[in-house]
């Protein structure tokens, strides 16, 4: 049996356009805004294979449940180099140095203090320092691409890093992911961990990326894009981007629930 031809970007674009048109029609008919995408979003092919299909299983009587309520992260767990990904190795990493700062907020705009914020990302060539990433782009021996910090009393966080490059992925033929940084947020337990992604303004790949486009509502999608902030740029050092993360409510940042 002859296998079907690989999906092209044009195929994905057609699927995205159809979903977007259906969403706009539903909104015009009075449906509420969809701030979060379905767990099985057809243009994002792997979500069809790995999204949960069964109801959640309670683990109240599991003896390992105690592991879900810890650990508690404190200042002794995070070093002064963890937030600066450009100083974690003997040499300088290659690429455009950037500062990414913002605040972690609840639905009413109040700061969420003392929370662990982690990030991971590709290097300037679009490659992760991970054995499963075999993208034929160079690794950077001076850039691992991971960092973490605790939010301050005002909910603030800040990282210094390298702007990541775009990279190919195998969702469809000639598929490329726009430059992005993954963020992980911890509450008081591992079960409260939330994961999301931050993008950079003006990226020409936005329209072609089914992961970003799975956030069908335009306003919700825009909240995933950082804003250039010249006040955060550091002389002779880095360009600055501001990105606040809202945990819940109508202005919530999209979280990769169920991914």
């Amino acid at each position: 049996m002859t296998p079907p031809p690989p999906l092209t970007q044009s195929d994905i674009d057609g699927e995205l356009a159809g979903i977007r048109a259906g969403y706009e029609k539903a909104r015009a008919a009075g449906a509420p805004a969809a701030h979060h995408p379905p767990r099985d979003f057809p243009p994002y092919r792997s979500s069809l294979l790995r999204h949960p299909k069964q109801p959640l299983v309670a683990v109240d009587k599991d003896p390992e449940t105690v592991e879900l309520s810890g650990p508690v992260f404190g200042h002794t767990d995070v070093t002064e180099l963890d937030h600066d990904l450009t100083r974690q190795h003997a040499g300088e990493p290659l690429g455009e140095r950037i500062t990414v700062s913002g605040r972690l907020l609840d639905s009413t705009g109040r700061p969420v203090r003392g929370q662990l914020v982690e990030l991971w990302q590709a290097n300037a060539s679009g490659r992760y320092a991970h054995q499963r990433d075999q993208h034929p782009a160079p690794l950077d021996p001076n850039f691992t691409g991971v960092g973490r910090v605790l939010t301050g009393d005002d909910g603030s966080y800040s990282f210094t890093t390298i702007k990541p490059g775009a990279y190919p992925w195998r969702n469809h033929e000639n598929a490329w992911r726009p430059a992005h940084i993954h963020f992980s947020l911890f509450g008081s337990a591992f079960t409260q961990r939330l994961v999301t992604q931050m993008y950079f303004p003006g990226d020409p790949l936005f329209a072609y990326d089914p992961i970003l486009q799975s956030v069908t509502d335009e306003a919700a999608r825009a909240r995933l894009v950082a804003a250039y902030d010249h006040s955060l740029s550091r002389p002779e050092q880095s360009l600055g981007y501001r990105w606040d993360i809202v945990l819940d409510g109508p202005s919530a940042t999209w979280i990769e629930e169920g991914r």
Side-chain angles (χ1 to χ4, degrees):
M1 184 177 179
T2 304
L7 289 169
T8 66
Q9 185 66 57
S10 180
D11 295 327
I12 297 297
D13 291 346
E15 292 183 10
L16 291 173
I19 293 171
R20 194 175 300 115
Y23 175 73
E24 295 300 334
K25 182 178 180 180
R27 289 283 287 144
H35 297 287
H36 296 276
R39 294 187 177 101
D40 52 337
F41 187 73
Y44 180 7
R45 284 299 187 262
S46 63
S47 70
L48 299 176
L49 302 174
R50 57 191 173 95
H51 77 282
K53 298 179 181 179
Q54 302 295 329
L56 297 177
V57 177
V59 293
D60 293 331
K61 297 181 181 180
D62 189 327
E64 293 182 359
T65 302
V66 65
E67 298 295 333
L68 303 179
S69 61
V72 175
F73 300 102
H75 289 279
T76 58
D77 301 303
V78 181
T79 75
E80 63 179 17
L81 291 182
D82 286 353
H83 76 283
D84 189 341
L85 283 67
T86 69
R87 297 172 56 209
Q88 296 174 350
H89 298 276
E92 292 281 342
L94 298 174
E96 177 185 321
R97 188 184 287 108
I98 61 173
T99 297
V100 179
S101 299
R103 299 177 69 204
L104 183 63
L105 306 169
D106 67 13
S107 60
T108 64
R110 294 178 299 185
V112 183
R113 306 175 178 89
Q115 301 302 297
L116 182 68
V117 180
E118 299 176 318
L119 67 74
W120 65 96
Q121 62 170 92
N123 65 20
S125 298
R127 186 168 176 184
Y128 290 93
H130 192 284
Q131 63 182 0
R132 293 187 63 183
D133 188 350
Q134 297 301 312
H135 169 210
L139 289 170
D140 187 339
N142 293 311
F143 188 76
T144 307
V146 294
R148 59 182 184 168
V149 72
L150 292 172
T151 57
D153 288 341
D154 60 350
S156 63
Y157 73 89
S158 186
F159 290 98
T160 299
T161 183
I162 296 297
K163 186 175 181 180
Y167 60 80
W169 62 310
R170 297 180 179 177
N171 187 73
H172 54 277
E173 187 177 60
N174 202 21
W176 288 83
R177 293 234 56 216
H180 61 280
I181 296 177
H182 300 267
F183 277 76
S184 165
L185 313 165
F186 276 98
S188 59
F190 279 118
T191 52
Q192 297 173 351
R193 187 188 187 213
L194 302 175
V195 177
T196 186
Q197 297 180 22
M198 185 205 86
Y199 297 84
F200 294 87
D203 196 310
L205 292 173
F206 283 167
Y208 304 104
D209 180 38
I211 295 182
L212 178 59
Q213 294 299 322
S214 70
V215 184
T216 312
D217 187 79
E218 184 176 356
R221 196 163 58 246
R223 292 196 290 273
L224 295 175
V225 181
Y228 174 73
D229 189 332
H230 200 68
S231 67
L232 294 175
S233 295
R234 300 174 181 174
E236 313 293 328
Q237 174 74 11
S238 63
L239 295 179
Y241 292 88
R242 183 174 300 280
W243 191 57
D244 293 340
I245 305 170
V246 181
L247 293 177
D248 52 12
S251 298
T253 304
W254 171 65
I255 300 298
E256 297 179 13
E257 182 183 5
R259 291 284 183 229

